[in-house]
Amino acid sequence: MSLSARIDAAVRNAVLIGQGGIAPAQLSGALTYATTPGGARIRPTILMSVAMACGDDRPQLTDAAAAALELIHCASLVHDDLPCFDNADMRRGKPSVHRAYSQPLAVLAGDSLIVLAFEVLARAAHVAPDRGIQLVLSLAQKTGMPGGICAGQGWESETEIDLSAYHRSKTGALFIAATQMGAIAAGQESEPWFELGARIGEAFQVADDLRDALCDAQTLGKPAGQDDLHGRPNAVTALGVDGAMQRLKDILAGAIASIPSCPGEARLAQMVRMQAEQIMPVFAPVQAQA
Amino acid sequence: MSLSARIDAAVRNAVLIGQGGIAPAQLSGALTYATTPGGARIRPTILMSVAMACGDDRPQLTDAAAAALELIHCASLVHDDLPCFDNADMRRGKPSVHRAYSQPLAVLAGDSLIVLAFEVLARAAHVAPDRGIQLVLSLAQKTGMPGGICAGQGWESETEIDLSAYHRSKTGALFIAATQMGAIAAGQESEPWFELGARIGEAFQVADDLRDALCDAQTLGKPAGQDDLHGRPNAVTALGVDGAMQRLKDILAGAIASIPSCPGEARLAQMVRMQAEQIMPVFAPVQAQA
């Protein structure tokens, strides 16, 4: 099975748990809607790649960890799109969840996906209880307060922003979760994997800033220029387009150099390079204006 | 330490975890705001009482379980009060979280409290990993989809409601979590404790229906008549005031009869009786109209 097929199966099976038995039909539907189509599934891809580089001796736990992380990411998109945040009508080329269903169902779908993430981990934990608990803890810390993506969004309500804490929690957290949870699922220490996750997260932030500043809404599948609109800090504003592109390359080189010694080190480095090529923005010159 | 002091300390310590280090100040504040004043803390009181009736041999885990359950309850109140649900301006006699802070911060506070609940369980789980995982699973199932309080809210968006599934998930779920998590924290099987939780939940639903139909907003500390307003099913509508009062007494008698054999059985029965007296609505005759 390919990596992407394995991830899709893990996410699908996780969502099915939330739809079992007698369940309200629309909220059930919203769970599938919010998690498909999968898009790049970048975070679970990184998680599984790290787990495989470390031996992947409990594949059931790796599957659960990858699904749980993706559910949290999808939940965050559903809530971020709400009218009181980004007020986004579109996501991944189709109406956002609150537009397709309703605001109440979007709030509930996000809540349900968050809870489901922890349920999926608990269900798989019997194969290695200690790792299961570490996974719950790691995912919670990267999702909630004070250091997870909730904190990241929370910073946007502050008049004085701690930029380092903001970026680490807003974008970095789930990438750090990806590398560390991959290591935990395979029975390894999580700490040595922090840097790889942090650097990948930083790269995505810069790539996202470039995309947000330069692309049009059609290419993004969501409203463009959101950062400028909401006055959020942005690498392009700080460094210019060329500076931000150079910064992106430097970060990715650092990411590859930070990979801890492990059996699948070379293959993992190759995966990061491939992901890097995918996120490197390519623009027609006529669009490049900042 | 009294039971209520123990619960307050557990909840306070849990919230402090979410406020550690560098955190966005307003969202930090909203976590305290959403969890204080404690009100009756009914669910953690039941949880701790069951754990103590079963021996409470891992008090650290009992504390974590009680706090986690209360955090989920508080999170549900924050999200339920949002304009897209009950649009409630007041809660527990003070402005609701989205009125005191903002809608984005209310969404994030709810999300953060949900996540924090699972983090608190994971942090305490080292004293008994198998119980810790069971607690995560039990709490997740009673919170999310398809059978938790998210599902309960989800039913309110359906045109055809499965009334039994609706009540079991909307109000019953967190009371079943209370009795079952109390048993799990003390190393006991959870299944025999299902009925006690389910019956207490049913009693609270009927008591709430009576209160919602009969009280004014000042007594409730939140808007009254919400069920009629939103066309939700209600025991008073079905049975009348006297019928609903009799039903409430029958359910509570059944609850006490269902308590499984355990060392602290008699004391637990006493606790349920005390809770019953507290929830039994007392109305001035002039207010009694349905």
Side-chain angles (χ1 to χ4, degrees):
Chain A
M1 202 191 298
S2 74
L3 200 62
S4 71
R6 188 178 164 189
I7 291 166
D8 281 344
V11 173
R12 197 167 50 245
N13 289 336
V15 171
L16 281 172
I17 291 170
Q19 298 170 324
I22 301 168
Q26 286 191 82
L27 182 52
S28 255
L31 299 186
T32 300
Y33 189 91
T35 52
T36 53
R41 303 274 198 221
I42 295 163
R43 293 156 194 80
T45 300
I46 295 166
L47 188 153
M48 276 197 180
S49 300
V50 169
M52 289 162 78
C54 294
D56 194 23
D57 67 336
R58 295 286 186 283
Q60 195 180 339
L61 209 52
T62 302
D63 287 356
L69 183 60
E70 184 66 9
L71 295 181
I72 292 289
H73 173 60
C74 292
S76 77
L77 299 181
V78 174
H79 281 185
D80 288 0
D81 285 344
L82 285 170
C84 68
F85 289 104
D86 288 349
N87 194 20
D89 291 336
M90 302 290 287
R91 167 68 68 180
R92 290 172 176 166
K94 63 180 187 178
S96 51
V97 175
H98 68 275
R99 295 291 288 171
Y101 289 84
S102 68
Q103 277 194 61
L105 286 167
V107 173
L108 291 173
D111 291 353
S112 302
L113 291 172
I114 294 171
V115 174
L116 190 55
F118 293 103
E119 178 168 350
V120 165
L121 290 178
R123 280 172 178 259
H126 63 91
V127 302
D130 287 336
R131 295 188 202 175
I133 286 165
Q134 276 189 73
L135 287 171
V136 170
L137 184 57
S138 179
L139 186 61
Q141 289 174 330
K142 305 308 187 300
T143 303
M145 276 278 283
I149 52 173
C150 290
Q153 279 284 3
W155 280 111
E156 297 185 5
S157 292
E158 297 294 320
T159 44
E160 299 259 318
I161 297 184
D162 183 312
L163 271 185
S164 154
Y166 169 69
H167 281 303
R168 200 169 48 235
S169 52
K170 167 96 180 172
T171 315
L174 291 195
F175 287 102
I176 297 166
T179 55
Q180 293 196 314
M181 290 175 74
I184 294 166
Q188 300 301 306
E189 289 291 319
S190 64
E191 197 44 45
W193 292 91
F194 176 90
E195 192 177 343
L196 176 61
R199 284 178 184 267
I200 296 176
E202 212 183 336
F204 270 82
Q205 181 63 53
V206 176
D208 213 44
D209 287 352
L210 279 159
R211 250 188 231 98
D212 190 74
L214 301 174
C215 285
D216 59 18
Q218 199 174 11
T219 316
L220 278 173
K222 61 178 181 180
Q226 288 294 307
D227 282 345
D228 255 16
L229 197 65
H230 298 280
R232 288 190 288 232
N234 185 303
V236 178
T237 315
L239 305 169
V241 173
D242 290 348
M245 287 290 278
Q246 185 55 49
R247 177 101 188 92
L248 183 52
K249 284 174 195 163
D250 292 347
I251 294 165
L252 286 165
I256 289 168
S258 83
I259 294 174
S261 177
C262 61
E265 193 179 330
R267 202 168 154 183
L268 182 59
Q270 181 58 24
M271 186 281 297
V272 176
R273 264 184 224 104
M274 278 175 57
Q275 294 283 341
E277 279 169 28
Q278 282 182 22
I279 66 163
M280 201 65 82
V282 182
F283 309 104
V286 68
Q287 289 180 292
Q289 47 188 327
Chain B
M1 199 192 299
S2 73
L3 200 63
S4 71
R6 187 177 164 191
I7 290 166
D8 281 344
V11 173
R12 197 168 50 245
N13 290 336
V15 171
L16 281 173
I17 291 170
Q19 297 169 324
I22 301 167
Q26 287 191 81
L27 183 53
S28 255
L31 298 186
T32 299
Y33 189 90
T35 52
T36 54
R41 304 274 197 220
I42 296 163
R43 293 156 195 79
T45 301
I46 296 167
L47 188 153
M48 276 197 181
S49 300
V50 169
M52 288 162 78
C54 295
D56 195 22
D57 66 335
R58 294 285 186 285
Q60 196 180 340
L61 210 51
T62 302
D63 287 356
L69 183 59
E70 183 66 9
L71 294 182
I72 292 289
H73 174 60
C74 293
S76 78
L77 299 181
V78 175
H79 280 185
D80 288 0
D81 285 343
L82 285 169
C84 67
F85 289 105
D86 289 348
N87 194 20
D89 291 337
M90 300 292 286
R91 167 68 68 180
R92 291 171 174 165
K94 64 179 186 178
S96 50
V97 176
H98 68 274
R99 294 291 289 173
Y101 289 83
S102 67
Q103 277 195 61
L105 285 168
V107 173
L108 291 173
D111 291 354
S112 301
L113 290 172
I114 295 171
V115 174
L116 190 55
F118 294 103
E119 178 168 350
V120 166
L121 290 178
R123 280 172 178 259
H126 63 91
V127 301
D130 287 336
R131 295 186 202 176
I133 286 166
Q134 275 188 73
L135 289 170
V136 170
L137 184 57
S138 179
L139 186 62
Q141 288 175 332
K142 305 307 187 300
T143 303
M145 277 277 284
I149 52 174
C150 290
Q153 279 284 5
W155 280 112
E156 297 186 6
S157 292
E158 298 294 320
T159 45
E160 301 257 318
I161 297 185
D162 183 312
L163 271 184
S164 153
Y166 169 69
H167 280 304
R168 200 169 48 234
S169 52
K170 167 95 181 175
T171 316
L174 289 195
F175 288 102
I176 298 167
T179 56
Q180 293 196 314
M181 289 174 75
I184 294 166
Q188 300 301 307
E189 289 291 319
S190 63
E191 197 43 44
W193 293 90
F194 175 90
E195 193 177 343
L196 177 61
R199 284 179 184 268
I200 296 176
E202 213 183 335
F204 270 83
Q205 180 62 52
V206 175
D208 213 46
D209 287 351
L210 278 160
R211 246 187 235 98
D212 191 75
L214 301 174
C215 285
D216 59 14
Q218 199 173 11
T219 316
L220 278 173
K222 61 179 181 181
Q226 288 294 305
D227 283 342
D228 256 15
L229 197 65
H230 297 280
R232 288 190 287 230
N234 185 305
V236 178
T237 315
L239 304 169
V241 172
D242 290 346
M245 287 292 277
Q246 187 55 48
R247 178 102 188 91
L248 182 53
K249 286 173 194 164
D250 293 347
I251 294 165
L252 287 165
I256 289 167
S258 83
I259 295 174
S261 176
C262 61
E265 194 179 331
R267 202 169 154 183
L268 182 60
Q270 182 57 26
M271 186 282 296
V272 176
R273 263 184 225 105
M274 280 174 55
Q275 294 284 341
E277 278 167 29
Q278 282 182 22
I279 67 163
M280 202 66 81
V282 181
F283 307 106
V286 68
Q287 290 182 291
Q289 48 186 330

